[in-house]
Amino acid sequence: MDTISFKLDVFEGPLDVLLNLITKHKLNIYDIEISKLLEQYLLFIEEAHKQDLELAGEFLEMAARLIYIKTAALLPRPEEAEQMKKELEGALIELSLCKAAARELAERNVGGDIFVRRPMKIKVDMTYSLVHEPERLVEAYAAVSNKKIVPENQKNRIEHKINSVVKRRIVPVLTKVVHILRELYATGEVYMDKLYEGVTDRSARVATFLAVLELTRFGRITISEDNTLVFFKGERGGRTKWKSKKSSEQ
Amino acid sequence: MEIKEKLGAVEAVLFASGEPIELYRISEACGVEVGSVPSLIKLLNERYDDCGSGICIKKLDSSYQMCTREEFAPQIKTALETKKSTPLSNAAMETLTIIAYNQPVSKGFVENVRGVDSSSVVNNLVEKGLVEEAGRLDVPGKPIIYKTTPVFLRSFGLSSIADLPPLPGHENVTTDDEGEQISFDTVTDEESDNAETITTNTEAAEDAAEHDISD
Amino acid sequence: MEIKEKLGAVEAVLFASGEPIELYRISEACGVEVGSVPSLIKLLNERYDDCGSGICIKKLDSSYQMCTREEFAPQIKTALETKKSTPLSNAAMETLTIIAYNQPVSKGFVENVRGVDSSSVVNNLVEKGLVEEAGRLDVPGKPIIYKTTPVFLRSFGLSSIADLPPLPGHENVTTDDEGEQISFDTVTDEESDNAETITTNTEAAEDAAEHDISD
């Protein structure tokens, strides 16, 4: 498989990976086939796991984002998905432009070949000679210390962010696995949406996503073809025509 | 004062200063009209060209700096025993490009474009003298914004930011409706701190538009 | 290799080296016979003489150094001194204020408040005579601490530090629990790099604690 050839350490973040996949699979960056991109991206993540590489949270976040776009596209109001897709495309276009510009600029780099001198060491009086109003100091201090007077809502946001960083380590995927299994024991099946319901915390969303991924990988659960429903593998009654891609591969 | 003497003075001042020195400072120090400085420097450069000199004077924004000619890099490197200069990494080049084309911008802006934390890359560019602080953005958190330096201009053979090569295929991207598209920042979880990014971004887009016209 | 090229190479090497450079080294780097170096340098000096150049090459023992001609010393001095009337950058002004209101403080303290490495800014302020060393902090690493100078007072029309204009909400700032005060760092420019921020912040708090003790 293509993915094997990935040298994982050469990627600078998830957008970089996506750009690479888009080029490699000749996808149209102005109208990306999300499902295809997602498929390739998941293969990439799988490969990373195989190589025992620990991917930064942002890589998993991107997976969650792609899945979200793909899923949202199936919802009654696909506008949001469309919007998110556009935004992602915008980001990718911008980054690819930036990369092209960087390559062009790099060719002009003569920095290592031009030499300059240090200033001559002449004894000169460098004492500052301008005069300012003392209020200039207050202004300058305000520029830094505005950070000090933090509005309450911002404080919360910061706390939340710090927590989310901390939580990413504390809340293991396992808790989400348990959560999902519990849901499934109770109802037999659960909509993907419901798993994410009320989960606004970034790390928790990632954990949920990973939990689903893990459970699928170990063949414990199956995801419906349209990625909206999760159920115990082989235990799904009535609508057996819904075969997951994973199980048909196996 | 004879022109010969003026030339000598300008040359001596440029040599002694080492760093880029503003046009007005040259004028003040050498007692010549501000307006005549560029022509004096042109004369000096012509003289250097004529005799195949090892040095030349480069214009960097409104400053001038005396430096060696690229072609003598091998000899200088041998003489100074400088180790091979490591080229900038892709990450550094990307970050530098983002700052160069959108300056002044915050680390957050760079991070949004690249999709990864870019703080250490920016710090590294500051250390290399390629970018520097340019004040703070007037939004909550007061992030420091960065711009490129004369070292950047010199290193990339530019005499001002206006000389940056046009963005490849940027006519496709900066058209009006795509300006919309670039506001991708809204998606990230950090919606809140993107007010900043969006503003800068819009400015960047406008800049680009202006740039288009002036091209 | 043509003589013109040799001259260019020798000139470039002398320019770039700054310090006196040994004859054999010039010969090695430029690929010319040791014996021919003096005559090449003589040619260069003749050229400089002819056009009344601001620079010349001096012989010191078996080394050579490129320098400015003495007659241009006044212009050079003026040029280098004009730097002192260049207004302070934003970064410098911020740093100066932080030192003024919290003195004596270490570079680390300034860095923690500003959120970026401020070492070169502090050095610059020392060069300008606006701040000066005030001993060392009695903590591991013994960091140098800085305070403002009489030049600072003069530049801002103050007769003593007690005259510093009060800061809005400054009761939080000048009270003894500086630990509090520093805690605003949690809100560094880009919240995104908070992992890092947390660490630095802890250090800042510790710094401050130690600072308190030593006071």
Side-chain angles (χ1 to χ4, degrees), chain B residues 20-205:
Chain B
I21 176 166
E22 289 87 0
L23 186 137
Y24 79 89
R25 281 174 61 200
I26 300 175
S27 134
E28 238 171 76
C30 302
V32 296
E33 291 278 311
V34 172
S36 67
V37 175
S39 60
L40 288 171
I41 284 170
K42 193 162 167 263
L43 282 173
L44 284 172
N45 266 332
E46 276 166 13
R47 186 202 284 169
Y48 298 149
D49 276 344
D50 286 348
C51 59
S53 171
I55 53 181
C56 61
I57 299 164
K58 288 208 190 310
K59 182 176 190 293
L60 307 165
D61 277 330
S62 58
S63 299
Y64 292 91
Q65 186 174 29
M66 197 180 261
C67 29
T68 60
R69 277 174 202 264
E70 277 168 68
E71 60 216 80
F72 296 112
Q75 288 94 327
I76 297 169
K77 283 179 187 169
T78 317
L80 304 184
E81 292 173 331
T82 34
K83 288 171 210 121
K84 268 195 187 134
S85 48
T86 39
L88 291 171
S89 68
N90 282 338
M93 254 339 280
E94 264 173 54
T95 304
L96 188 56
T97 308
I98 294 166
I99 296 175
Y101 281 91
N102 302 283
Q103 59 187 307
V105 291
S106 67
K107 285 179 178 173
F109 182 90
V110 175
E111 177 169 337
N112 273 317
V113 176
R114 298 190 59 231
V116 279
D117 177 51
S118 304
S119 182
S120 65
V121 190
V122 174
N123 290 347
N124 198 260
L125 291 172
V126 171
E127 231 166 84
K128 287 191 156 70
L130 291 163
V131 307
E132 64 186 0
E133 287 183 35
R136 290 179 184 267
L137 213 55
D138 194 17
V139 297
K142 301 268 173 189
I144 290 175
I145 45 180
Y146 297 87
K147 63 176 181 192
T148 56
T149 62
V151 176
F152 165 78
L153 293 177
R154 193 183 72 221
S155 301
F156 291 89
L158 308 166
S159 46
S160 86
I161 286 304
D163 287 350
L164 276 173
L167 282 175
H170 91 304
E171 48 296 334
N172 298 331
V173 178
T174 47
T175 50
D176 271 347
D177 48 342
E178 314 240 345
E180 275 282 316
Q181 233 179 38
I182 299 176
S183 62
F184 67 93
D185 316 49
T186 26
V187 216
T188 52
D189 271 20
E190 291 96 329
E191 261 133 326
S192 22
D193 34 354
N194 278 321
E196 168 232 320
T197 319
I198 294 163
T199 337
T200 344
N201 211 17
T202 321
E203 279 166 17

Side-chain angles (χ1 to χ4, degrees), chain A:
Chain A
M1 191 172 298
D2 280 1
T3 344
I4 306 298
S5 63
F6 272 141
K7 266 207 191 142
L8 294 165
D9 53 340
V10 303
F11 289 105
E12 282 276 339
L15 283 178
D16 198 21
V17 174
L18 290 185
L19 271 186
N20 198 281
L21 292 172
I22 284 167
T23 319
K24 196 165 188 174
H25 298 281
K26 299 189 174 62
L27 297 177
N28 178 7
I29 195 169
Y30 293 96
D31 186 12
I32 299 167
E33 253 181 89
I34 291 290
S35 52
K36 193 156 183 196
L37 187 61
L38 171 62
E39 198 178 296
Q40 294 302 322
Y41 190 75
L42 293 180
L43 284 174
F44 160 82
I45 288 189
E46 213 169 280
E47 183 60 24
H49 278 297
K50 268 189 212 148
Q51 295 187 19
D52 250 351
L53 285 168
E54 207 178 307
L55 288 177
E58 55 223 23
F59 282 93
L60 306 173
E61 222 180 289
M62 180 56 80
R65 184 168 162 191
L66 287 172
I67 289 182
Y68 191 83
I69 297 176
K70 189 184 166 184
T71 318
L74 300 162
L75 293 178
R77 285 177 294 116
E79 296 84 6
E80 190 198 353
E82 196 51 38
Q83 180 61 27
M84 286 182 71
K85 182 176 157 228
K86 275 223 164 99
E87 285 158 354
L88 179 64
E89 284 165 0
L92 288 166
I93 290 165
E94 192 171 52
L95 182 61
S96 75
L97 272 185
C98 159
K99 281 174 178 292
R103 276 191 298 272
E104 201 171 310
L105 206 55
E107 278 172 26
R108 295 165 161 254
N109 192 348
V110 289
D113 289 339
I114 296 177
F115 292 82
V116 295
R117 295 168 35 86
R118 289 218 191 89
M120 261 169 77
K121 286 189 192 105
I122 301 172
K123 264 220 165 231
V124 286
D125 181 12
M126 297 300 276
T127 310
Y128 195 62
S129 64
L130 299 186
V131 175
H132 305 276
E133 291 293 314
E135 280 64 39
R136 249 326 248 115
L137 294 169
V138 182
E139 268 168 50
Y141 208 95
V144 209
S145 64
N146 257 14
K147 302 202 295 183
K148 171 178 162 18
I149 309 150
V150 184
E152 204 49 40
N153 61 344
Q154 199 186 336
K155 219 179 244 167
N156 289 340
R157 207 177 80 219
I158 292 150
E159 245 157 52
H160 166 78
K161 292 219 165 184
I162 293 170
N163 281 341
S164 75
V165 171
V166 177
K167 264 189 204 152
R168 197 168 288 162
R169 296 196 194 98
I170 298 168
V171 176
V173 177
L174 195 64
T175 47
K176 286 294 170 192
V177 168
V178 172
H179 173 75
I180 293 168
L181 290 178
R182 218 176 256 159
E183 287 274 343
L184 284 177
Y185 284 130
T187 58
E189 61 179 50
V190 58
Y191 279 97
M192 199 75 96
D193 283 4
K194 188 151 185 279
L195 293 178
Y196 288 99
E197 210 171 68
V199 186
T200 49
D201 181 273
R202 195 196 303 187
S203 55
R205 289 181 78 94
V206 172
T208 305
F209 164 70
L210 283 179
V212 174
L213 218 61
E214 286 293 296
L215 285 168
T216 317
R217 202 154 65 110
F218 292 112
R220 194 73 185 87
I221 61 166
T222 301
I223 305 172
S224 67
E225 214 154 40
D226 59 1
N227 283 330
T228 53
L229 201 62
V230 179
F231 45 88
F232 277 129
K233 186 167 182 174
E235 282 186 20
R236 177 137 175 101
R239 295 190 269 169
T240 28
K241 55 188 172 178
W242 277 17
K243 270 202 298 182
S244 99
K245 265 184 212 156
K246 286 262 169 185
S247 58
S248 62
E249 270 167 17
Q250 283 155 5

Side-chain angles (χ1 to χ4, degrees), chain C residues 185-207:
Chain C
D185 303 8
T186 21
V187 206
T188 43
D189 40 2
E190 306 313 326
E191 278 89 11
S192 26
D193 42 22
N194 39 29
E196 198 190 321
T197 317
I198 298 165
T199 343
T200 351
N201 202 33
T202 323
E203 281 165 15
E206 276 166 16
D207 263 9

